[in-house]
Amino acid sequence: MSTSKKYANIIPSKDQWTHFFKNEPHYLLMDVIGSFFYAAGIMIFVYNADFAPGGVTGITLILNHFFPSLALGLLSILINVPIILLALRYLGGLYLIRTFQTILVNAFFLDIVLPLFPTYPINGPVDNLFAAVFGGAIYGLGLGIIYQTGTCTGGSDLVIMSIRKVKPHFSVGEITILIDGIIILVGVFVYKSLNALMYGILFTASYTVVIDKFMSGAISGKIALIISDHSQDIWEEIKSKLERGGTFLKAEGAFSGADKKVLLVACNKKQVPEIRKIVGEEDPKALTIFLDYAEARGEGFIPHYEDFTS
């Protein structure tokens, strides 16, 4: 591969810049909302607790433990700048510009906004336990909001994605466990307690569950497959009452050999009872199958955000 092709994605194309500026108000709003929860999980719950989570967050808390005068947001920027420069070759210029914007917004909330809020009091092991669980959940909510716009908070996310570009046979989970595990273990020696290991693992598990639930819940839904001799009538009712699009699939009856039209409709979970009702009224003999889908993009669903890493 020539050098020019190797580094081609460092400089964003005209189309990428157009897409970026068109969607920048949305990106910035999501960064602000997500960063509030992200910083709240750290500053309200974890900052005074005796453990370090994984990732750059854990590194900044450990460094702040030894150098209290250095603010977490500032430390995050200082750590992330060299990581961004190293990841530039693999992840693309525009993606990292978006990521750096997110890092700056995070730093603002960590160092300026959230210190104005009261912190969760830590008076013993039980308080550390609650801080790990609830702090992780709020932190995960913030990350979920940020991830929705196709960016990240830098740090280990960039390292993981860069390693995956070079070593695709490694899973994200394997790389994450390795990186976060090392940082959490360092926290055990910093805070001089084996409990720090448990709290760090609980924090990681808590925010991971919330991210998964948030992201899958926000973009997942149901697919209705309706096999009926009155599929056209059913479609007209669904279009009229639910304003949903649909697709007719050509099929053949296994027993009769007759041509049939299968109606495919993607919908959200709240619309399932209404579709059941419409099908039952139009054709009680119809076969309706509901399947789960993890994500749907396009008109009527979430937009096709450009992947800046490619």
Side-chain angles (χ1 to χ4, degrees):
M1 182 184 291
S2 67
T3 303
S4 60
K5 288 183 178 180
K6 203 174 192 180
Y7 296 94
N9 66 339
I10 291 179
I11 301 175
S13 66
K14 181 180 178 181
D15 289 341
Q16 284 182 313
W17 279 120
T18 301
H19 179 88
F20 172 73
F21 287 117
K22 179 182 177 182
N23 292 282
E24 173 59 10
H26 172 77
Y27 293 149
L28 186 58
L29 176 62
M30 292 299 101
D31 279 348
V32 167
I33 297 172
S35 293
F36 174 81
F37 290 105
Y38 172 94
I42 298 170
M43 298 302 297
I44 294 177
F45 289 95
V46 181
Y47 185 68
N48 293 321
D50 297 324
F51 70 93
V56 165
T57 300
I59 296 173
T60 57
L61 285 167
I62 289 171
L63 290 175
N64 180 262
H65 178 81
F66 292 109
F67 307 101
S69 60
L70 295 176
L72 294 184
L74 176 61
L75 283 170
S76 177
I77 293 172
L78 293 176
I79 294 170
N80 274 297
V81 166
I83 294 175
I84 287 175
L85 293 176
L86 290 172
L88 190 60
R89 167 182 167 185
Y90 304 106
L91 302 180
L94 198 53
Y95 177 79
L96 294 175
I97 289 171
R98 280 278 297 110
T99 296
F100 190 63
Q101 172 182 289
T102 303
I103 292 167
L104 291 177
V105 176
N106 279 342
F108 173 77
F109 277 91
L110 283 169
D111 294 348
I112 307 297
V113 178
L114 264 300
L116 302 175
F117 286 67
T119 59
Y120 179 73
I122 304 294
N123 298 312
V126 175
D127 293 326
N128 280 314
L129 184 66
F130 280 113
V133 175
F134 289 103
I138 295 171
Y139 176 88
L141 176 61
L143 284 178
I145 293 170
I146 290 169
Y147 289 164
Q148 284 285 351
T149 60
T151 184
C152 71
T153 56
S156 57
D157 287 344
L158 297 181
V159 175
I160 291 166
M161 293 176 70
S162 297
I163 293 174
R164 282 277 293 162
K165 290 279 186 178
V166 180
K167 304 287 185 180
H169 57 282
F170 288 133
S171 72
V172 172
E174 289 171 341
I175 302 169
T176 302
I177 289 171
L178 176 63
I179 295 173
D180 287 353
I182 291 172
I183 296 168
I184 291 171
L185 281 174
V186 170
V188 172
F189 298 98
V190 170
Y191 296 100
K192 297 180 174 59
S193 171
L194 279 175
N195 286 337
L197 175 64
M198 179 186 71
Y199 301 142
I201 293 172
L202 276 176
F203 181 90
T204 302
S206 180
Y207 84 71
T208 301
V209 169
V210 171
I211 289 174
D212 287 345
K213 294 294 183 183
F214 176 83
M215 297 193 72
S216 64
I219 61 178
S220 64
K222 294 285 188 179
I223 294 175
L225 291 174
I226 304 165
I227 304 171
S228 169
D229 293 331
H230 303 279
S231 55
Q232 185 66 44
D233 296 330
I234 293 171
W235 153 239
E236 294 293 340
E237 284 296 301
I238 291 175
K239 181 176 68 172
S240 172
K241 293 181 179 179
L242 302 182
E243 297 183 351
R244 275 296 179 193
T247 301
F248 285 114
L249 307 176
K250 292 182 178 180
E252 179 181 320
F255 289 105
S256 66
D259 291 335
K260 290 183 177 292
K261 288 197 299 185
V262 177
L263 174 59
L264 183 152
V265 178
C267 62
N268 61 51
K269 294 173 183 177
K270 294 179 181 179
Q271 293 173 323
V272 169
E274 186 63 27
I275 291 177
R276 287 198 191 108
K277 181 180 177 182
I278 290 171
V279 174
E281 290 174 348
E282 294 295 325
D283 183 8
K285 295 182 179 180
L287 173 63
T288 306
I289 302 171
F290 288 99
L291 307 172
D292 293 319
Y293 70 76
E295 181 176 328
R297 294 182 179 269
E299 187 175 356
F301 298 91
I302 57 175
H304 292 282
Y305 290 117
E306 188 169 351
D307 181 5
F308 295 129
T309 69
S310 60

